[in-house]
Amino acid sequence: MKKDAQYFETVIIGTGFSGLLAAIGLTKKNNHDFVLLERGTDIGGTWRDNSYPGAEVDIPTGLYSISYIPYKFKKRYSPQSELLEYTNYIIDKFNIRKYTKTKQSVTQLTYDDTKCLWHVETASGESYTARFIIDTSGVLANPKIPDINGAESFEGAKFHTAQWDHSVGYEGKRVGIIGSGCSAAQVVPAIAGKVDKLNLFMGKAQWVIPRSDRNYSKAERFINTLPVIRHLKRLMIFSYHEIRFAAFRRYPFTQKITQFIKYMYARTLKKNLERYIKDEKLRQHMMPDYELGGRRVIPSNLYLPALGRENVDVDISGIERITPTGIRTKDGKDIPLDILVYATGFYAYSDMKKALTFQVYGSGGRHLNSEWENEAVSYKGITVSGYPNYFKVNGPNTGTGHSSQLCYMEAMVNYTIKAICAVKRDKNIKAIDVKSNVQSKYVKKMKNTMKLTVWQNSKCSAFYRKNMTGEVTSLSPESVVNFIFSRKWFNLGDYNLLK
């Protein structure tokens, strides 16, 4: 017998950093009538799922952390294990587990126009109703696995980096890695010295740049949490990454310095390729033929040296098919493998059929999934006209290509909490729905700004573009400063008030 739907004033979908921020934000405003729905068996989000060898953040943790929750990080670029510890520290500090229900994979959201309520259905059969929906389901939560002939025939172990099977030992084995983006650049150096043979099946060249990384002493870990020092360091890291934005946004007054920065990065990469990659054909392949920033930059000091190891081979001919015993390349080689790893990233907003992991039906039966397949639009990347009281944190065009995503998350969640509080203050308002003309004006301005970025103008495929080569659907064309301030104030005048 189907259970009656449980009512909560707010349903938060997802328990990654955005979901945790939403829960903290509600409790700070003394709103405790909410539930977090997590599809997994435990809370955690990105750093619970991405536990592959070598997984770590590519932004210094002085900035890749919640601004008001300090932590004694051990390393400048923290590994997955420490970021998961930080996640659990936040969960325990704010007692978030008591608000959370796990094994609740949302399958459908449906808005009831007569009651101004959302109905939430889950795969477990449990259902919920809520006045507000805060959808924080991750953009990088849906692994992308390429459709390669013969994949089902492979007799060894195979898995995506985001679904790493830790029951399968890779020591002394023959391992194949498909992909050459950020996750591959972390996995390769982490396992190269432990496997018998590692074959990397490389796609398009990536911009690989060096970074300054080190472990902190106990004294530094303590000092880094002192308020004045912590905020000063955060400001310095923030400012450095914000200045880098000039390299991705085409400002006329920064053109010369931008060209110089890109020249220096190209020169550094060329020198490092000459130092570590002996094969001339591979060196040429690994030197990008597109502008810096066209794809996500890979900051690593370990990746290129690992590719130069004797037990590491790199294939650039392409994959013909996967066989029961390995991979056949397009140049006719049969490469035997025991383990096959897909380091092929996520769909994000490149495939709009995969952007939402559940069906969303709004006012009058409108279908968000279908609408976004046509055009991924929203207001400030958070609300969508026709979907009252639905807040999509990390919506279209809210990702960063140059800084910490947590800065963006905090801004979006703060806006969402202000919106909910504004609605609750006026007892006559049941729901708010962003005006279609306000949304259209925002989208037009955002797309015009996007035309001035390297992301939209670069002549290469990227996961943050629709169908990999179309308009940019994932990244924001705004600097972090502009992103934060443009969402700092909530204006009820932008919305239709449903009473």
Side-chain angles (χ1 to χ4, degrees):
M1 183 177 179
K2 190 174 181 179
K3 295 180 181 178
D4 291 336
Q6 302 174 66
Y7 174 81
F8 292 92
E9 184 175 64
T10 304
V11 165
I12 302 170
I13 303 172
T15 62
F17 281 127
S18 296
L20 302 183
L21 283 166
I24 295 167
L26 288 174
T27 56
K28 282 187 172 184
K29 295 297 181 179
N30 203 31
N31 295 326
H32 298 277
D33 188 8
F34 67 88
V35 65
L36 294 98
L37 302 182
E38 167 56 49
R39 68 180 179 181
T41 57
D42 197 6
I43 311 176
T46 295
W47 300 109
R48 176 202 63 207
D49 295 336
N50 288 273
S51 60
Y52 58 84
E56 60 185 14
V57 70
D58 57 5
I59 296 290
T61 43
L63 187 59
Y64 190 84
S65 54
I66 296 174
S67 61
Y68 55 87
I69 307 178
Y71 191 71
K72 295 179 181 179
F73 289 106
K74 301 174 185 175
K75 193 169 176 280
R76 181 174 170 81
Y77 293 88
S78 286
Q80 174 268 341
S81 58
E82 188 169 32
L83 290 164
L84 185 57
E85 288 173 9
Y86 179 55
T87 303
N88 286 318
Y89 169 78
I90 295 169
I91 291 166
D92 294 336
K93 179 179 177 65
F94 293 93
N95 200 18
I96 293 174
R97 291 187 192 278
K98 75 174 185 177
Y99 298 102
T100 306
K101 292 180 179 289
T102 57
K103 300 180 184 178
Q104 298 296 294
S105 181
V106 174
T107 56
Q108 185 168 303
L109 302 180
T110 308
Y111 186 71
D112 185 333
D113 285 291
T114 59
K115 297 180 180 179
C116 292
L117 292 175
W118 283 94
H119 294 274
V120 183
E121 298 176 35
T122 68
S124 69
E126 293 191 55
S127 59
Y128 307 85
T129 57
R131 186 180 182 187
F132 304 101
I133 297 290
I134 305 179
D135 179 4
T136 71
S137 53
V139 177
L140 303 182
N142 301 312
K144 181 178 182 179
I145 297 179
D147 185 14
I148 303 174
N149 288 335
E152 70 286 346
S153 71
F154 184 63
E155 295 173 353
K158 64 176 186 291
F159 41 81
H160 192 279
T161 50
Q163 299 163 332
W164 192 276
D165 188 347
H166 291 280
S167 69
V168 178
Y170 54 82
E171 293 83 356
K173 300 289 183 65
R174 299 166 299 180
V175 179
I177 298 177
I178 299 175
S180 51
C182 292
S183 55
Q186 293 180 340
V187 173
V188 169
I191 71 172
K194 301 175 183 177
V195 301
D196 174 45
K197 186 73 175 180
L198 191 152
N199 288 90
L200 177 67
F201 300 90
M202 181 178 287
K204 199 167 183 65
Q206 308 282 350
W207 282 97
V208 183
I209 64 175
R211 70 180 189 185
S212 176
D213 191 15
R214 65 187 185 85
N215 295 318
Y216 295 128
S217 66
K218 287 185 178 181
E220 284 179 299
R221 291 173 62 195
F222 171 75
I223 292 171
N224 286 342
T225 60
L226 297 176
V228 174
I229 300 298
R230 179 169 64 87
H231 290 303
L232 181 60
K233 285 193 67 173
R234 187 178 180 90
L235 178 61
M236 291 172 62
I237 299 169
F238 177 89
S239 300
Y240 168 74
H241 284 82
E242 195 70 342
I243 290 170
R244 289 201 319 170
F245 182 67
F248 304 120
R249 171 77 179 272
R250 293 178 172 172
Y251 296 108
F253 56 88
T254 63
Q255 189 173 2
K256 288 188 177 180
I257 190 170
T258 295
Q259 290 175 344
F260 177 73
I261 291 171
K262 291 181 178 180
Y263 164 76
M264 292 303 295
Y265 275 131
R267 181 183 176 188
T268 300
L269 176 56
K270 187 176 181 180
K271 283 187 175 182
N272 285 334
L273 288 173
E274 290 173 351
R275 179 180 180 185
Y276 297 113
I277 307 300
K278 305 305 179 185
D279 184 273
E280 184 178 353
K281 187 177 179 182
L282 179 58
R283 280 203 308 271
Q284 292 176 354
H285 176 85
M286 291 186 68
M287 194 67 203
D289 58 1
Y290 57 90
E291 192 174 356
L292 177 74
R295 286 184 158 201
R296 187 165 180 84
V297 174
I298 298 175
S300 175
N301 300 329
L302 304 176
Y303 180 48
L304 297 182
L307 295 183
R309 291 179 58 95
E310 289 186 5
N311 68 328
V312 176
D313 283 342
V314 180
D315 176 82
I316 57 175
S317 71
I319 298 174
E320 178 69 31
R321 64 180 291 108
I322 296 175
T323 68
T325 57
I327 284 180
R328 181 172 300 154
T329 62
K330 288 186 177 179
D331 62 359
K333 295 178 183 176
D334 279 307
I335 299 175
L337 300 170
D338 302 307
I339 301 170
L340 182 58
V341 178
Y342 294 104
T344 45
F346 302 85
Y347 284 105
Y349 287 108
S350 63
D351 183 346
M352 296 313 299
K353 291 181 180 180
K354 308 283 187 180
L356 294 167
T357 56
F358 43 81
Q359 302 301 306
V360 181
Y361 293 93
S363 182
R366 290 178 57 174
H367 188 215
L368 186 58
N369 307 67
S370 300
E371 291 178 11
W372 275 6
E373 279 186 51
N374 179 50
E375 185 180 23
V377 296
S378 66
Y379 180 54
K380 297 183 182 289
I382 304 170
T383 55
V384 187
S385 182
Y387 299 83
N389 285 1
Y390 173 74
F391 302 91
K392 174 62 178 170
V393 179
N394 299 317
N397 297 108
T398 59
T400 176
H402 72 287
S403 191
S404 169
Q405 187 62 31
L406 290 189
C407 296
Y408 290 70
M409 290 180 186
E410 285 194 47
M412 288 182 278
V413 169
N414 289 341
Y415 180 90
T416 298
I417 301 303
K418 288 174 183 176
I420 290 174
C421 290
V423 174
K424 290 183 65 177
R425 274 195 298 270
D426 190 330
K427 302 302 180 184
N428 294 317
I429 302 175
K430 292 183 178 179
I432 55 172
D433 185 15
V434 65
K435 295 174 180 176
S436 59
N437 65 311
V438 171
Q439 177 173 285
S440 297
K441 184 179 179 181
Y442 166 81
V443 171
K444 182 179 180 180
K445 181 181 178 182
M446 183 273 297
K447 288 189 175 183
N448 285 336
T449 306
M450 187 64 76
K451 292 176 183 177
L452 303 175
T453 68
V454 63
W455 304 308
Q456 187 63 70
N457 288 282
S458 182
K459 301 185 185 302
C460 68
S461 60
F463 76 89
Y464 44 72
R465 304 178 75 159
K466 186 175 182 179
N467 299 322
M468 298 296 286
T469 56
E471 64 180 5
V472 175
T473 48
S474 291
L475 299 186
S476 169
E478 303 171 81
S479 67
V480 184
V481 170
N482 191 72
F483 190 96
I484 292 172
F485 277 95
S486 64
R487 290 156 181 79
K488 191 171 182 61
W489 295 277
F490 173 78
N491 182 10
L492 265 178
D494 294 337
Y495 291 80
N496 292 315
L497 309 181
L498 309 182
K499 299 183 177 181

